[in-house]
């Protein structure tokens, strides 16, 4: 069974309850492979004796590293990776209705109000899917987002117990 995590995100004063579902194994492996290729294309190098996790930490583990990396990649290369993360997310309406998938930009724009909330959602999806692989990177991403959102008053995340995924 795929891991799921229910999170509640403050989206400019409104609570947004989301169900984040782990990617299937092959899709997750393809996603991380695309990220590795993107990092290599951007010139991220793995120092001798370092493992892949250490290379990713150096590539995206700090604000300065993220800015440096962003300056070396094209949006057209990054956008498909980020938008694919939305395929793991569904909104849980408070009225007990079926989860509403956030699988496309139009749906996300109809539900999410703050751009910072979009970053928070992406970070939560990365943690659910790849936190085992890159724990310090997901911690750094979370810390960077916490710094960004605490100044804006948006993006607070509360964890709820995992909820079983209902399938039709």
């Amino acid at each position: 069974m795929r891991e799921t995590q229910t999170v509640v995100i403050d989206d400019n004063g409104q609570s947004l309850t989301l169900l984040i579902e782990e990617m299937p194994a092959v899709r997750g492996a393809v996603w991380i492979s695309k990220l590795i290729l993107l990092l290599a294309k951007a010139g991220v190098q793995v120092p001798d004796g370092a493992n892949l996790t250490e290379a990713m930490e150096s590539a995206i583990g700090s604000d300065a590293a993220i800015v440096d990396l962003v300056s070396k990649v094209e949006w057209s290369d990054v956008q498909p990776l980020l938008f694919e993360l939305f395929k793991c997310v569904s909104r849980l309406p408070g009225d007990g209705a079926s989860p509403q998938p956030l699988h496309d930009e139009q749906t996300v724009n109809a539900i999410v109000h703050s751009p910072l909330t979009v970053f928070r959602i992406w970070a939560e999806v990365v943690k659910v899917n790849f936190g085992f692989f890159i724990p310090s990177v997901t911690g750094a991403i979370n810390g960077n987002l916490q710094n960004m959102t605490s100044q804006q008053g948006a993006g607070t995340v509360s964890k709820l117990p995992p909820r079983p995924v209902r399938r039709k």
Side-chain angles (χ1 to χ4, degrees), residues 70-82:
V70 168
S71 72
K72 296 176 183 175
V73 296
E74 298 292 325
W75 173 247
S76 59
D77 294 331
V78 175
Q79 188 267 349
L81 283 175
L82 294 175

Side-chain angles (χ1 to χ4, degrees), residues 52-63:
L52 189 56
T53 299
E54 293 165 340
M56 287 193 176
E57 287 174 0
S58 69
I60 57 176
S62 70
D63 290 344

Side-chain angles (χ1 to χ4, degrees), residues 85-122:
L85 295 176
F86 285 127
K87 293 179 182 177
C88 299
V89 182
S90 295
R91 177 178 168 247
L92 297 175
D95 59 7
S98 296
Q100 179 183 13
L102 272 67
H103 294 179
D104 60 69
E105 184 177 0
Q106 183 178 3
T107 304
V108 173
N109 283 331
I111 293 171
V112 176
H113 301 288
S114 171
L116 295 175
T117 302
V118 172
F119 284 106
R120 175 63 71 191
I121 293 169
W122 285 334

Side-chain angles (χ1 to χ4, degrees), residues 32 44 66 85 109 126-127 134:
I32 201 78
V44 173
I66 291 171
L85 295 176
N109 283 331
V126 168
K127 286 192 295 186
I134 47 175

Side-chain angles (χ1 to χ4, degrees), residues 126-136 138:
V126 168
K127 286 192 295 186
V128 166
N129 283 280
F130 308 111
F132 69 94
F133 182 61
I134 47 175
S136 58
T138 56

